[in-house]
Amino acid sequence: NANVAPDGSQTAFIQHTGSISQTLNLNAGGYTLSFLAAQRGCCDSPYVQPIQVSVDGTPIGSQVSPASTSFSNFSIAFSVATTGAHTITFTGTDPGDKTTFIDNVTLTSSGISSTTTLSSSANPSLVGANVIFTATVTGTAPTGSVAFTDGGVTLPGCGAVALPAGAANSKTATCSSAS
């Protein structure tokens, strides 16, 4: 967007070492924070006011330093380990009379997929011996079921083992078989 940042119009801005923040309820997982930022073309030279973005007080990404008075796009990827309230904060880093304008802030889930690992209670196992297979699914509160197969053929009683309910990011499904 090539629009020049306003000076005194409706927009969010960070001046001096001030900050703005918003608390959101987020699921554990990965996100991308995108926004437009521009510098004010006056006052203390150089006019850039670097800002630091943080989540729950921990900086994410490097400092954002808009290059001009025209809005530029910025994106910062981050993740949260727990589901619940998390606070995103934009903070000025220069106490001088400098300002960064911020507009069009969006937060999107990065759609991190799940991974599945498989283990067995006995490896190697004896023919006819009971073996417990464990599938561990890791992702953002994974749901659904796991099908245990041998060469593409479902093991008896192990076709749709449901993952337990809840917000945990690592869940297990087990299957016991002597096949």
Side-chain angles (χ1 to χ4, degrees), residues 33-149:
L33 179 70
S34 302
F35 56 95
L36 299 175
Q39 62 178 252
R40 180 177 67 171
C42 80
C43 307
D44 288 349
S45 180
Y47 305 127
V48 67
Q49 165 60 287
I51 58 171
Q52 180 64 60
V53 180
S54 62
V55 174
D56 299 330
T58 301
I60 58 171
S62 6
Q63 289 184 357
V64 174
S65 298
S68 72
T69 57
S70 294
F71 277 110
S72 298
N73 290 308
F74 292 90
S75 291
I76 302 172
F78 70 96
S79 63
V80 292
T82 59
T83 296
H86 295 280
T87 302
I88 299 171
T89 306
F90 294 79
T91 305
T93 61
D94 189 324
D97 189 13
K98 301 173 183 181
T99 302
T100 292
F101 295 97
I102 299 172
D103 198 6
N104 200 28
V105 178
T106 59
L107 182 65
T108 55
S109 173
S110 59
I112 295 174
S113 61
S114 64
T115 57
T116 304
T117 57
L118 181 66
S119 63
S120 66
S121 62
N123 187 10
S125 62
L126 300 174
V127 174
N130 192 49
V131 177
I132 299 172
F133 295 101
T134 303
T136 302
V137 182
T138 305
T140 303
T143 60
S145 60
V146 175
F148 293 86
T149 63

Side-chain angles (χ1 to χ4, degrees), residues 121 129-134 148 155-159 161 173-179:
S121 62
N130 192 49
V131 177
I132 299 172
F133 295 101
T134 303
F148 293 86
L155 295 175
C158 300
V161 180
T174 60
C175 168
S176 179
S177 177
S179 298

